Structure formats: structure tokens, C-alpha cells
Amino acid sequence: QVQLVESGGGLVQPGESLRVSCAASGDISIIYSRGWYRQAPGKQRELVASIARGGVTGRRDYAESVKGRFTISMDGTKTTVYLQMNSLKPEDTAVYFCYADIRTRGSDSTIRVWGQGTQVTVFS
């Protein structure tokens, strides 16, 4: 079984920073891409940031709304992915979900697993 556990969400004021983390554990053979989505109340889940295959040097993509403010990074083992969020705005308020595209041991298939979500609230 594979598990993604997020941490680091919270309540901040506009302009402040926050870092959320997502640690993967379990019967993982290969970790491919990692990333973060978010979902605000009444809105669809949107991709915030991702790291493509290639490990810590893999290509990084960001939503236009967070470019220049958010940075995605990963530790050397790819088991933990971080999202550093600077200059936060009220519109960044959402539940943030991490994901990992992985292959489990003994399997030839790649699957996407999700974390449980962590709340980020930016208020004046």
C-alpha cells in the first residue's frame, strides 16, 4: 500500500509565506512525476505545480496564477515534495492535494496516488 501524507497547511495573512510538504511511503518501486493541485470551494481542482520525470532536475511547470510566487522542489529520493508559497493572496485559499505517479513493486503499471489534502487559508 502507498500513502502520501501532507503537512504544513495553515492560516496566514496576504503577503506571507507558507511551505507544504508531501511525504510518500509504502511499497513503491519507482516514483515518476510529482505535483500539487488545489481546490477552492465551488471550483474545480486545478494543477498548481508539477515536476516531470527526471527526478530533482526534472522540468517544473506552474499555473500562470502562481508563477514567480510558488516553487516546487523535491528531495533526492523523490519521496518528499515541497511547495514553497510566497506572497500569498486570498485567492490562493484552497485545499492543496499532492500526487505522485508511481509504479508499485511487482507491477508494470503506472498509477497516480493522492494525498488527503491540506487546507491553506489566506485572509486579511
Side-chain angles (χ1 to χ4, degrees):
Q1 188 173 356
V2 177
Q3 190 175 20
L4 301 184
V5 178
E6 296 144 345
S7 60
L11 200 61
V12 296
Q13 293 188 327
E16 294 185 339
S17 298
L18 204 60
R19 188 175 82 159
V20 290
S21 304
C22 176
S25 63
D27 200 16
I28 300 171
S29 174
I30 302 172
I31 297 178
Y32 296 108
S33 54
R34 300 291 307 269
W36 293 89
Y37 277 74
R38 69 185 179 186
Q39 188 164 23
K43 295 188 177 181
Q44 289 190 329
R45 190 175 292 194
E46 65 169 343
L47 180 64
V48 177
S50 64
I51 298 180
R53 297 186 181 199
V56 294
T57 60
R59 171 181 161 173
R60 286 151 170 80
D61 288 308
Y62 297 92
E64 284 297 323
S65 59
V66 306
K67 279 183 181 178
R69 300 188 297 121
F70 289 14
T71 302
I72 188 170
S73 61
M74 201 159 55
D75 70 356
T77 64
K78 296 189 286 185
T79 57
T80 302
V81 64
Y82 306 95
L83 185 67
Q84 177 67 42
M85 302 180 286
N86 298 330
S87 302
L88 281 161
K89 304 175 181 180
E91 52 263 43
D92 294 318
T93 296
V95 178
Y96 285 70
F97 298 89
C98 68
Y99 72 86
D101 295 327
I102 67 163
R103 182 174 295 183
T104 57
R105 297 185 200 284
S107 172
D108 293 329
S109 302
T110 301
I111 60 172
R112 175 164 289 186
V113 292
W114 293 91
Q116 80 284 358
T118 186
Q119 178 70 47
V120 172
T121 302
V122 185
F123 76 105
S124 297

